[in-house]
Amino acid sequence: MISEFQDLSDKIDRLAQLTQALRSENYLLRQANALLSAENVDFKNRLLAAQQRVEGLLANLEPAPITSDDAEAPQ
């Protein structure tokens, strides 16, 4: 009977250790996720800014003059 209680106590101790390890891992994963989410937002903002700069440059380009070769080219 005492050995059964000791086995149960050992299992409870292992469960408590595993629970603590999982909580620690979960905390670290949440921190990593928060950092990656912030980095993702930064990358999206940088990409949007680059896209706006490219669109601005394209809007400032003058259209190419139409030549007689262009007018005769098949569509």
Side-chain angles (χ1 to χ4, degrees):
M1 181 89 162
I2 292 179
S3 68
E4 291 175 1
F5 285 126
Q6 186 61 45
D7 289 342
L8 183 57
S9 176
D10 293 343
K11 288 180 181 180
I12 291 171
D13 288 341
R14 286 194 307 261
L15 180 60
Q17 290 171 356
L18 179 60
T19 300
Q20 184 58 41
L22 289 174
R23 284 183 178 163
S24 296
E25 182 181 7
N26 191 30
Y27 174 76
L28 293 174
L29 290 171
R30 286 180 187 271
Q31 283 185 322
N33 187 41
L35 289 173
L36 290 172
S37 293
E39 187 177 348
N40 190 33
V41 167
D42 182 52
F43 285 143
K44 284 182 180 180
N45 289 338
R46 290 172 60 189
L47 183 61
L48 181 60
Q51 179 182 359
Q52 290 172 343
R53 286 193 306 268
V54 169
E55 288 174 353
L57 290 172
L58 290 175
N60 289 331
L61 289 178
E62 294 182 16
I66 297 177
T67 64
S68 61
D69 291 339
D70 292 336
E72 296 174 7
Q75 304 270 337

